[in-house]
Amino acid sequence: MTMPSTHPTRATPVTWLVLALLSIALLGLRMFEFTLSGAGLHVDEAQYWLWSRDLQWGYFSKPPVLVALIQASTALFGNSLLGVKAFAMICWIVTAWVLGRLAYRMAGLRAAIFAGGLFSATLISGLLGLSVTTDAPLTLMWAMCMLTLWEAAHASGQRATLWWIACGLSLGLGVLSKYSALALGASALWLLATAPTTHRRPVLMGGLIATAVAVLVLLPHLAWNVANHWPTAQHTLEITVQETGSTVANGAGGWRRVVASGLEFSLGQLLILGPSVWLVCFWLWRKTRATNPVASAASSGSMTTHQIWSIRTYALAFAVPILALGLVQALNSKALINWSVPMALGVCLWLACFAEAQQLSLQRFIWACLAGFMLSAFVATGGDIKQWVGVQTQPNQSKWDIWGRMRGWDDSLQALKPALEPYRDLPWVTGDRSTLVQAAYSLRALEPKLFAWNSDGSVHHHFEWKQPWPADATDPAVVWLNPSAPPASLMTRYPNARQLAQAQSGRVTLQAWLLQTQPQK
């Protein structure tokens, strides 16, 4: 058995105040890091911002929670870069508090500080925390599900019912953030199977209440999908199972790609946890080597008499299923390391409680967190990392710059603005989604009417679906804004064309053309 901790397990008001000030400081640091990075909006961020101008219960490729979050953020803070990102950034801070609250209920104050601090110091939180992605509300709702399910399972009567309802709300909002929240169903089955026999019935009945509430939350989104012929579900299914058949069918080469993708994804999960988790794991490994292995194993899955699940079982239930889903997706198509972001919550929860049981020193914990914060800051503000290791990037080579795809858009579009402004009332047509959404954001003062040109009539993204340039359009003049010149089929419809301007910044090159059916008088 392990020695009982001599550290206080309850927090004082001063403790909460200090932690709150540290959280505010961390938010300020991240805002400063993004400002220092010089990056703009990613194409997806600009797309979400444009969607937020017209709130719906769903969109072509995403459910609505993140878009609503951006709408609320810009309504409060304006349409600046930080105004667009503010609430998404706050989600990561709040997630750390929710995880800390769960660890506090499980193992006391130090475990809460360890859990919230470790999660905040991961590369997941430090880098995704600077971006507007669906992972922000998804991870927050995932943590809320972890907390509310624990509280519901350990309560009774009306209090338990309220917690189950809160769990259902969290689940529903999680799915409305990103469909990968459906993996929480596997987590629930895991916990039901591992619950003591005497607790399975109340856990099952409570789970049914939570499921019913989640379905009610999802009904408007489901109705929207039905009315629009399931665009979001179809898009998600396509990107989830794409290339499965062709990958397996390609023989040995295909299998090599499968293995490479699986390894890339698996190593990526270790990478995005960051040095704070690595260091704590190393120090705990050193500590357990010097203690009784049996006692160390027991403390790693510690469980008090009033707890239904051990901490290890509970943490694994919220980490393993989403990791398995991400690995399957990686094997089916290609590895995207952010597929399984919520797994960090389970990892940090278990590691924090284990560190408390092993009485890891607070000093070592602080050094581990500082290492994570420093690495995140370096990657976020370092620009082309190749230059830091003495490698010169040639013009046509890729840079080790996580913001590379976010640079150059505003500079190029602002350079074109004087040439475009006289034609702000004309339709603007582009064959490039990135150009459409970046122009909508950077030139929002002009309020351009933007349309997607698609010669083959198929739908590849939201704007070819909702804002296509019609084949039978009779407008006598349009503006073409695109990285390349107008296609021949469009020039046939508008034979009188002239280039208004061209601009280039970084890897972004844009052309603005005036296309007319008749010569300009």
Side-chain angles (χ1 to χ4, degrees):
M1 59 182 296
T2 56
M3 294 294 294
S5 174
T6 58
H7 301 286
T9 58
R10 301 194 63 83
T12 65
V14 173
T15 304
W16 293 126
L17 177 61
V18 170
L19 293 175
L21 291 175
L22 288 174
S23 296
I24 294 171
L26 178 59
L27 178 62
L29 173 65
R30 287 182 176 167
M31 289 183 170
F32 175 73
E33 287 174 3
F34 181 79
T35 303
L36 193 62
S37 74
L41 292 183
H42 187 272
V43 55
D44 288 341
E45 294 176 306
Q47 174 178 260
Y48 303 149
W49 173 85
L50 185 53
W51 287 351
S52 74
R53 305 300 93 190
D54 179 28
L55 289 182
Q56 301 288 333
W57 277 104
Y59 299 89
F60 180 79
S61 59
K62 293 292 185 290
V65 162
L66 179 65
V67 178
L69 198 69
I70 294 172
Q71 204 281 336
S73 184
T74 54
L76 189 59
F77 301 113
N79 289 302
S80 66
L81 291 174
L82 289 179
V84 174
K85 291 172 176 285
F87 275 7
M89 287 183 167
I90 292 171
C91 277
W92 296 96
I93 304 296
V94 177
T95 298
W97 275 81
V98 174
L99 187 66
R101 170 64 182 177
L102 176 58
Y104 184 76
R105 294 283 286 115
M106 288 178 162
L109 176 60
R110 273 169 43 94
I113 295 173
F114 287 168
L118 271 179
F119 179 76
S120 297
T122 60
L123 288 182
I124 292 172
S125 181
L127 296 179
L128 282 181
L130 304 182
S131 302
V132 184
T133 72
T134 52
D135 294 310
L138 167 69
T139 308
L140 175 56
M141 290 302 108
W142 195 283
M144 286 297 299
C145 281
M146 294 173 67
L147 174 61
T148 54
L149 196 155
W150 178 271
E151 294 283 9
H154 291 86
S156 59
Q158 185 179 8
R159 188 167 178 268
T161 301
L162 292 175
W163 277 116
W164 284 118
I165 291 173
C167 184
L169 288 171
S170 302
L171 175 59
L173 290 173
V175 176
L176 289 180
S177 300
K178 194 172 183 178
Y179 285 166
S180 55
L182 291 170
L184 285 165
S187 301
L189 291 176
W190 179 314
L191 293 174
L192 181 63
T194 55
T197 306
T198 54
H199 289 83
R200 283 181 187 167
R201 178 177 173 80
V203 169
L204 174 60
M205 298 306 296
L208 292 176
I209 294 174
T211 302
V213 172
V215 170
L216 289 175
V217 172
L218 291 172
L219 280 179
H221 179 61
L222 293 173
W224 179 90
N225 265 284
V226 170
N228 290 277
H229 308 292
W230 299 94
T232 316
Q234 289 181 15
H235 173 79
T236 303
L237 186 63
E238 288 172 3
I239 64 174
T240 300
V241 301
Q242 65 178 347
E243 301 179 5
T244 303
S246 60
T247 302
V248 176
N250 285 333
W255 284 110
R256 283 195 293 270
R257 286 193 293 274
V258 169
V259 172
S261 183
L263 287 174
E264 180 184 346
F265 172 78
S266 300
L267 293 174
Q269 303 313 296
L270 295 176
L271 173 65
I272 60 179
L273 288 173
S276 54
V277 171
W278 309 336
L279 283 172
V280 169
C281 285
F282 173 73
W283 285 327
L284 290 176
W285 174 73
R286 289 279 303 272
K287 266 183 95 64
T288 54
R289 285 190 64 192
T291 58
N292 186 334
V294 175
S296 296
S299 66
S300 68
S302 58
M303 173 177 172
T304 62
T305 55
H306 67 279
Q307 293 180 356
I308 297 176
W309 300 281
S310 70
I311 295 171
R312 178 173 56 191
T313 297
Y314 200 78
L316 287 176
F318 288 97
V320 173
I322 189 68
L323 274 172
L325 175 63
L327 181 60
V328 169
Q329 289 180 310
L331 296 176
N332 283 344
S333 52
K334 61 181 180 179
L336 295 177
I337 60 176
N338 71 317
W339 274 342
S340 300
V341 160
M343 64 86 188
L345 295 168
V347 172
C348 291
L349 175 65
W350 172 78
L351 202 57
C353 294
F354 188 31
E356 163 60 7
Q358 293 294 314
Q359 300 183 36
L360 180 71
S361 72
L362 188 61
Q363 183 180 11
R364 285 190 168 182
F365 166 75
I366 292 173
W367 279 113
C369 288
L370 287 176
F373 293 138
M374 290 174 64
L375 180 59
S376 295
F378 172 71
V379 174
T381 61
D384 183 7
I385 306 299
K386 283 185 177 180
Q387 296 179 1
W388 291 84
V389 294
V391 177
Q392 294 299 316
T393 305
Q394 300 303 315
N396 295 325
Q397 291 180 339
S398 63
K399 298 180 178 182
W400 291 352
D401 180 2
I402 65 170
W403 313 120
R405 296 177 63 186
M406 307 182 193
R407 301 188 192 279
W409 284 103
D410 190 64
D411 291 340
S412 294
L413 287 162
Q414 292 301 325
L416 293 177
K417 184 177 180 180
L420 289 168
E421 190 164 7
Y423 307 100
R424 60 188 298 176
D425 295 327
L426 294 179
W428 293 12
V429 182
T430 179
D432 178 55
R433 178 178 71 105
S434 298
T435 301
L436 189 153
V437 297
Q438 295 286 4
Y441 178 75
S442 291
L443 302 179
R444 58 191 179 276
L446 300 182
E447 299 181 346
K449 298 185 287 283
L450 289 151
F451 297 88
W453 167 257
N454 185 13
S455 58
D456 63 12
S458 59
V459 176
H460 305 93
H461 56 75
H462 178 89
F463 305 100
E464 290 180 346
W465 177 44
K466 289 294 187 181
Q467 296 171 219
W469 182 244
D472 57 352
T474 58
D475 298 67
V478 300
V479 169
W480 174 258
L481 181 62
N482 207 64
S484 56
S489 55
L490 192 59
M491 293 287 277
T492 300
R493 296 171 58 186
Y494 295 94
N496 294 283
R498 62 185 178 91
Q499 188 179 83
L500 298 174
Q502 179 170 322
Q504 192 273 333
S505 178
R507 62 162 116 184
V508 177
T509 300
L510 294 174
Q511 300 181 28
W513 290 67
L514 177 63
L515 309 181
Q516 299 173 295
T517 56
Q518 300 294 330
Q520 188 174 14
K521 296 181 180 180

